[in-house]
Amino acid sequence: MVPIILFIAAVSTTVYLQESSPLFSRSEEVTLQEALALGMEKALEWDGSAVPFYLTSVDDEFGTLSGEQGRRERWNLQVGTPDNKRAVIAIRKGVVEGIYPGVGPFVDTHVIKREEVVFDSPELLTRSRAEHDLLPGKDWANGYHFVLQVLDGKATITVIGLDKASHQQKIVFESSSSLTMN
């Protein structure tokens, strides 16, 4: 009987500690690819001709732990339509929090072709750490950040952190091949 009570107490303590841990409460973080899919689903409900222009992770309260697995809790997706409508799709904790419409020019060369987004933030973060000794950002750009955009006519994913001298470092990958562009 005593071993069973000790086992139950140990399991209860473990579950309590896991649930109160900051890492456990971050289960609603999503990768860049997941954020793009969530945001575009809502964007196409907003306007069937919406296309992605820019996706970026956003700071949160987790400090240098943010993005350490290539996942973030907060993302903003900018979309546009050929008739010059724009919107920012705010993704928070794995769901679309809101759509914030506006207007702006439709620039065809800024459209991210979804089929060119092959790689994802976790694998590119692993490469950035291994190949460039990338460290998590502190203060205003906490943890690791991720940006999907078109640069030089190619869809790219940028992983942002710090170098060993605590200077901001941006590692830019072609999103279809994962070739480093810088």
Side-chain angles (χ1 to χ4, degrees):
M1 181 73 164
V2 171
I4 292 173
I5 293 173
L6 289 175
F7 174 75
I8 292 171
V11 169
S12 297
T13 301
T14 301
V15 169
Y16 172 76
L17 290 174
Q18 285 179 339
E19 289 181 353
S20 62
S21 149
L23 293 177
F24 185 85
S25 65
R26 292 172 40 214
S27 63
E28 295 143 337
E29 293 180 327
V30 295
T31 69
L32 181 141
Q33 286 264 17
E34 293 166 340
L36 179 62
L38 285 166
M40 283 308 300
E41 181 179 337
K42 192 57 82 173
L44 291 170
E45 288 175 16
W46 169 72
D47 189 300
S49 65
V51 292
F53 284 146
Y54 187 85
L55 174 65
T56 185
S57 56
V58 181
D59 269 350
D60 55 33
E61 67 276 1
F62 296 116
T64 58
L65 295 177
S66 293
E68 69 181 358
Q69 302 298 318
R71 306 170 77 81
R72 297 287 304 217
E73 185 178 273
R74 299 177 185 171
W75 296 84
N76 286 342
L77 172 65
Q78 294 181 29
V79 298
T81 65
D83 59 348
N84 296 322
K85 292 192 304 189
R86 290 280 190 113
V88 173
I89 313 295
I91 300 156
R92 305 294 184 263
K93 297 184 178 184
V95 296
V96 173
E97 176 187 76
I99 301 173
Y100 304 96
V103 294
F106 184 86
V107 182
D108 192 48
T109 56
H110 291 177
V111 174
I112 298 165
K113 295 179 180 91
R114 292 177 68 189
E115 65 274 7
E116 292 181 4
V117 186
V118 176
F119 289 86
D120 204 356
S121 47
E123 57 204 311
L124 297 179
L125 173 61
T126 299
R127 283 198 40 210
S128 296
R129 286 173 166 163
E131 297 171 13
H132 302 277
D133 296 319
L134 194 68
L135 301 170
K138 298 176 184 172
D139 302 321
W140 67 272
N142 61 48
Y144 295 99
H145 277 279
F146 310 96
V147 176
L148 173 64
Q149 64 185 329
V150 174
L151 294 174
D152 299 326
K154 296 179 182 178
T156 64
I157 297 173
T158 303
V159 182
I160 304 167
L162 298 177
D163 63 17
K164 289 182 179 181
S166 294
H167 297 117
Q168 187 181 70
Q169 181 77 18
K170 296 179 181 181
I171 314 301
V172 181
F173 296 93
E174 187 176 333
S175 64
S176 63
S177 67
S178 84
L179 291 174
T180 306
M181 296 180 66
N182 61 340

